């Protein structure tokens, strides 16, 4: 029987995707391939309105790459061919996931693990968790989007501090820097993330998807172009059935019954 690296559970519009490579949930080629496949499936699943990503075992959300595999990558071009291309493509699928995503960081998030969490729209992190980009201590640097996505969250100076020194920061520093969104009590990151996801699942899904597109454009094009491109997205939202229902409910002083269409 083939090894399963990923578990997925869907309840009431919320999909919980769990990395299953305990105790550290290291990123291997096998895990990357299965993660890519599962993200493709969930993106197309109409029953999924929000995605939560977490790790199994309670010790680590994800401690990054399996360093034992590094021995296979130390010739020019090999790391890209055998690891980085696939890993970056998979992480980009999570970053570009068409529905809201929340990382439930329920243990340390190092290297590729923090890069994976940074692909999510929101990050919930347990009290006492350590987060780091320690690749410099192995003679490399974060190669799966960390230099871009973490920098966008916390700014150039703080990103360079994390990447140049490679030392962990704690959850309260991460919160103050804007790297994460919320701090949960020990053992409660997943529960908090699922509560947030359940609330988002009641929101008009089409409007959330369009809003996510509009926000993400702010990092990809100039300010004027991003604003211009947001106009047709607004038109899509205004012409949706959920907008009609939201306006009806507002004037009727009723709870909206969104159909996510």
């Amino acid at each position: 029987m083939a090894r399963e690296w990923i578990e997925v559970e869907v309840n009431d519009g919320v999909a919980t995707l769990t990395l299953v490579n305990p105790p550290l949930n290291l990123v291997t080629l096998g895990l990357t391939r299965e993660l890519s496949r599962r993200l493709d499936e969930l993106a197309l699943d109409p029953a999924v309105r929000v995605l939560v990503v977490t790790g199994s075992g309670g010790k680590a959300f994800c401690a990054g790459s399996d360093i034992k595999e590094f021995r296979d990558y130390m010739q020019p071009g090999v790391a890209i061919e055998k690891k980085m291309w696939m890993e970056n493509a998979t992480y980009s699928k999570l970053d570009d996931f068409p529905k809201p995503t929340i990382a439930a960081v329920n243990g340390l998030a190092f290297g590729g693990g923090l890069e994976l969490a940074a692909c999510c729209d929101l990050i919930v992190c347990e009290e006492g968790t350590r987060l780091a980009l320690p690749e410099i201590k192995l003679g490399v640097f974060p190669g799966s989007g960390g230099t871009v996505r973490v920098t966008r969250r916390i700014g150039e100076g703080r990103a360079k501090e994390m990447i140049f020194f490679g030392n962990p920061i704690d959850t309260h520093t991460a919160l103050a820097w804007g790297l994460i969104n919320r701090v949960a009590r020990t053992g409660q990151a997943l529960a908090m993330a699922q509560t947030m996801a359940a609330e988002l699942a009641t929101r008009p899904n089409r409007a959330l998807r369009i809003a996510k597109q509009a926000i993400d454009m702010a990092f990809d094009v100039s300010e004027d172009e991003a604003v211009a491109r947001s106009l047709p997205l607004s038109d899509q939202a205004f012409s949706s059935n959920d907008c009609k229902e939201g306006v009806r409910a507002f004037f009727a002083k009723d709870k909206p019954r969104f159909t996510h269409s």
Side-chain angles (χ1 to χ4, degrees), residues 139 151 213 216:
T151 301
Q213 284 181 262
D216 288 347

Side-chain angles (χ1 to χ4, degrees), residues 187-202:
Q188 295 299 308
L190 180 57
M192 178 180 284
Q194 288 178 329
T195 297
M196 294 166 64
E199 182 175 351
L200 288 179
T202 69

